[in-house]
Amino acid sequence: MAVKQEIKYLTAVKTEKRQKKYCRFKKMGIRYVDYKDGEFLKKFLNDQGKMLPRRITGNSLKFQRKVAQAIKKARQLALLPYVTDLLK
Amino acid sequence: MNYELMVIFTPVLSEEDYKVAQKKFADIIKDNGGEVTHENPWGLRSLAYPIQKKTTGMYLVLEYTAPSDLNEKLKIQLNRDENVLRHMVTALDKYAVIYNNRKRHGANTDSKTVEA
């Protein structure tokens, strides 16, 4: 029986290395998420205006909460829509 | 304690009414023992969704330090004033204050590097 590692495939097994996610706030030393800055907050919304989850934005828990608070404040002040289509 | 007041006025307000309204809130803060560190009128801006059937609003941002009981008086005035569509007072922690001065003095807005 062929030993497992001796098996050769015709085409190389493609395992593309997924780029390690990082928290942009920690990396760039941002300490405060400004709720007035709509453009910056839009990066954390999908095109329906809904908040992106942490596994997609790659934020750390602490900053994901700060971003969530800032987005809710911005929505309250009509800087960001609650729901829309083709936000970007 | 430093706070930040953000007010949306009705767009029907003329330029000098807008100034008068700005001064009014700045004065309320001053004569109740607070002091306004920065006043930043954004002017007419379109809203993300209509508020009270209006799609644009005159924004105003007031950053001030004040004793903690001042916000109560401020809120009464804001609720009573009929050309205020919406208002929000937020408390600023020390990073927020650093962020705001950096933004005013032309440093990069995303405060990439925070020295403090």
Side-chain angles (χ1 to χ4, degrees), chain B:
Chain B
M1 264 289 284
N2 24 41
Y3 299 97
E4 191 174 48
L5 163 69
M6 191 149 179
V7 185
I8 308 178
F9 294 102
T10 56
V12 77
L13 222 54
S14 67
E15 202 41 44
E16 69 277 352
D17 289 354
Y18 182 48
K19 292 265 178 311
V20 164
Q22 259 174 255
K23 245 189 72 41
K24 179 180 145 195
F25 290 119
D27 292 347
I28 291 171
I29 293 171
K30 280 197 190 63
D31 52 39
N32 284 352
E35 58 90 27
V36 177
T37 50
H38 181 68
E39 208 172 310
N40 176 8
W42 286 4
L44 197 66
R45 234 180 98 121
S46 66
L47 303 175
Y49 51 87
I51 301 178
Q52 293 173 8
K53 308 291 182 292
K54 299 179 181 61
T55 57
T56 58
M58 308 277 278
Y59 277 77
L60 167 68
V61 180
L62 262 175
E63 202 189 323
Y64 59 96
T65 54
S68 51
D69 56 4
L70 181 125
N71 285 332
E72 225 29 63
K73 301 190 189 74
L74 201 57
K75 220 189 298 180
I76 297 164
Q77 293 301 328
L78 283 163
N79 291 335
R80 185 178 297 147
D81 191 333
E82 80 285 350
N83 51 23
V84 167
L85 290 185
R86 198 163 284 189
H87 62 274
M88 175 189 280
V89 178
T90 41
L92 295 178
D93 55 8
K94 67 178 164 62
Y95 297 120
V97 175
I98 296 167
Y99 174 83
N100 282 342
N101 330 341
R102 285 179 55 76
K103 195 161 183 191
R104 265 200 306 282
H105 301 318
N108 48 23
T109 51
D110 279 355
S111 67
K112 286 288 176 303
T113 56
V114 178
E115 297 82 15

Side-chain angles (χ1 to χ4, degrees), chain A residues 42-84:
Chain A
K42 273 194 179 136
K43 292 184 187 137
F44 302 100
L45 298 179
N46 69 3
D47 54 9
Q48 283 177 348
K50 294 160 77 170
M51 275 189 251
L52 291 174
R54 209 151 75 87
R55 55 185 163 79
I56 301 210
T57 57
N59 288 343
S60 62
L61 179 60
K62 175 177 170 181
F63 285 103
Q64 176 74 10
R65 285 192 184 132
K66 284 189 192 231
V67 164
Q69 287 305 324
I71 289 174
K72 287 169 195 166
K73 280 184 188 159
R75 283 177 175 161
Q76 163 79 12
L77 283 167
L79 298 170
L80 289 178
Y82 279 94
V83 69
T84 173

Side-chain angles (χ1 to χ4, degrees), chain A residues 27-44:
Chain A
K27 192 174 262 274
M28 285 186 244
I30 302 174
R31 302 304 291 267
Y32 171 68
V33 184
D34 189 12
Y35 65 91
K36 302 190 286 298
D37 191 349
E39 286 320 308
F40 179 65
L41 293 178
K42 273 194 179 136
K43 292 184 187 137
F44 302 100

